[in-house]
């Protein structure tokens, strides 16, 4: 029975997931595979490279650096999160991503992106031996309106959350039967229609299929969370999530708030650690 880790996005809410993952890594909890969406991909890759604390470390250090996330970056580069700084300078020079450890770890790691031409989710197995592996992570986290379209091997991609925010069903299709699902919203959260749809229609007017996906995202998301609840009741999934809405914006530069959300993830993971171990040990 393959055990999986499913990671929702949510921009800086993803530091909640980073806190949960660090506690699990500190307690030597292993998975056969993991799949991450948006921030879940950005921070989740550290689980495979076994770099405890890396996500919170570089976020605290660079959160107020205009090269990292700022309107200056958006105006000068076209990306709110500076692509070169976030996906080259940090992982290759400033807080090095351990590619050797990533490759040695047998755990599979997948990212979720949205193909803006087809309006469908794309699931990619990460391999750091490929030169474009960081492009897939970047594409997964490239939010519409504040990011450039990421082109990889002739395809055009943006934020994976637009088409599959919590890919439990897809991971089950891949053969992962027992899954820990980390959400960045509380269990009773209900997603509403996107208020910026009119602006997205203007900026992505060449891509009607992704506009349709964004239009229906709240419906699909709410159906997904209902499915996750049923899977948890059936014993196939264990959900770890905040007990209430996290006190943080999707885009957040305040280190204290980032640390607060990360520590909340650690607190809940520590509290639920016996339950996590028991769930994964069950056959």
């Amino acid at each position: 029975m393959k055990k999986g880790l499913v990671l929702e996005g949510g921009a800086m809410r993803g530091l909640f997931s980073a806190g949960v993952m660090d506690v699990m890594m500190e307690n030597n909890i292993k998975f056969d595979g993991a799949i991450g969406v948006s921030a879940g991909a950005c921070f989740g890759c550290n689980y495979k490279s076994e770099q405890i604390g890396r996500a919170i470390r570089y976020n605290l250090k660079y959160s107020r650096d205009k090269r990292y996330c700022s309107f200056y970056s958006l105006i000068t580069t076209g990306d709110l999160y500076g692509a070169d700084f976030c996906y080259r300078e940090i992982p290759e020079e400033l807080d090095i991503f351990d590619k050797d450890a990533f490759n040695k770890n047998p755990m599979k790691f997948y990212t979720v992106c949205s193909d803006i031409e087809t309006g469908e989710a794309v699931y990619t197995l990460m391999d750091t031996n490929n030169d474009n592996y960081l492009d897939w992570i970047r594409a997964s986290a490239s939010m519409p309106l504040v990011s450039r379209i990421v082109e990889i091997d002739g395809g055009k991609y943006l934020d994976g959350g637009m088409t599959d925010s919590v890919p439990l069903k897809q991971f089950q299709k891949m053969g992962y039967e027992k899954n820990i699902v980390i959400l960045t919203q509380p269990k009773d959260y209900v997603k509403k229609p996107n208020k910026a749809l009119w602006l997205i229609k203007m900026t992505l007017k060449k891509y009607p299929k992704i506009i349709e996906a964004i239009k229906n995202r709240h419906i699909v998301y709410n159906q997904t969370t209902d499915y996750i609840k049923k899977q948890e009741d059936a014993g196939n999934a264990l959900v770890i999530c905040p007990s209430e809405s996290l006190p943080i914006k999707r885009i957040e530069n305040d280190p204290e708030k980032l640390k607060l959300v990360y520590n909340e993830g650690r607190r809940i993971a520590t509290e639920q650690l016996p339950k996590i171990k028991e769930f994964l040990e069950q056959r």
Side-chain angles (χ1 to χ4, degrees):
M1 180 179 290
K2 290 205 293 186
K3 300 169 185 176
L5 176 63
V6 180
L7 302 164
E8 183 181 17
M12 284 303 137
R13 292 198 312 270
L15 285 175
F16 171 86
S17 304
V20 174
M21 287 187 283
D22 280 353
V23 169
M24 292 197 298
M25 282 193 281
E26 288 164 2
N27 286 273
N28 201 35
I29 292 174
K30 306 289 186 182
F31 296 93
D32 298 298
I35 187 166
V37 182
S38 193
C42 292
F43 303 154
C45 61
N46 296 299
Y47 209 105
K48 183 169 165 62
S49 64
E50 299 181 324
Q51 290 178 275
I52 298 170
R54 180 173 178 269
I56 186 62
R57 183 173 62 240
Y58 72 72
N59 272 283
L60 291 180
K61 187 170 184 178
Y62 299 111
S63 63
R64 285 182 168 158
D65 190 314
K66 65 181 181 181
R67 297 169 297 171
Y68 183 61
C69 176
S70 66
F71 285 108
Y72 170 85
S73 175
L74 180 61
I75 292 167
T76 57
T77 72
D79 293 300
L80 186 67
Y81 285 87
D84 185 68
F85 187 71
C86 293
Y87 299 101
R88 185 196 61 79
E89 196 166 346
I90 288 177
E92 294 181 4
E93 299 174 13
L94 301 177
D95 198 320
I96 295 173
F97 179 66
D98 193 337
K99 294 192 288 184
D100 289 338
F102 185 96
N103 287 333
K104 288 176 183 176
N105 189 337
M107 183 184 87
K108 304 292 186 183
F109 187 76
Y110 297 83
T111 60
V112 184
C113 300
S114 297
D115 185 320
I116 64 170
E117 294 179 309
T118 67
E120 300 290 335
V122 174
Y123 309 94
T124 304
L125 177 62
M126 297 301 296
D127 183 354
T128 60
N129 292 315
N130 293 332
D131 291 338
N132 62 10
Y133 80 99
L134 285 175
D135 291 333
W136 286 111
I137 293 178
R138 175 188 161 203
S140 182
S142 290
M143 298 177 287
L145 300 181
V146 293
S147 308
R148 289 173 292 167
I149 294 166
V150 181
E151 297 191 27
I152 308 171
D153 297 334
K156 297 180 179 181
Y157 306 97
L158 283 174
D159 185 1
M162 298 188 298
T163 50
D164 196 352
S165 295
V166 194
L168 173 61
K169 191 175 290 188
Q170 176 63 29
F171 223 33
Q172 289 174 328
K173 289 179 182 177
M174 292 180 179
Y176 294 89
E177 301 167 274
K178 204 165 190 64
N179 293 283
I180 299 285
V181 180
I182 304 181
L183 302 178
T184 58
Q185 296 281 14
K187 280 189 179 181
D188 60 355
Y189 173 76
V190 176
K191 186 174 282 295
K192 301 293 196 327
N194 192 321
K195 294 180 180 179
L197 183 62
W198 65 274
L199 187 54
I200 292 172
K201 285 181 177 179
M202 291 173 59
T203 58
L204 293 175
K205 59 185 177 182
K206 294 180 181 178
Y207 309 101
K209 291 183 179 179
I210 198 62
I211 290 173
E212 188 66 16
I214 296 169
K215 179 182 176 182
N216 295 324
R217 183 186 178 189
H218 66 291
I219 298 170
V220 174
Y221 183 93
N222 295 331
Q223 289 173 342
T224 298
T225 53
D226 286 343
Y227 176 78
I228 291 169
K229 290 172 187 175
K230 290 175 183 176
Q231 289 299 298
E232 186 170 40
D233 291 342
N236 299 324
L238 176 64
V239 176
I240 303 173
C241 64
S243 54
E244 55 188 28
S245 295
L246 294 168
I248 193 172
K249 301 188 293 291
R250 285 175 60 84
I251 310 302
E252 182 61 70
N253 299 103
D254 185 343
E256 290 304 315
K257 290 183 179 179
L258 300 179
K259 193 169 184 179
L260 179 69
V261 167
Y262 170 80
N263 285 336
E264 179 64 6
R266 289 191 61 91
R267 183 190 71 79
I268 287 181
T270 302
E271 187 179 276
Q272 295 197 19
L273 198 56
K275 194 174 180 180
I276 292 169
K277 291 179 177 179
E278 180 184 2
F279 172 77
L280 291 173
E281 288 168 1
Q282 291 172 350
R283 293 287 179 181

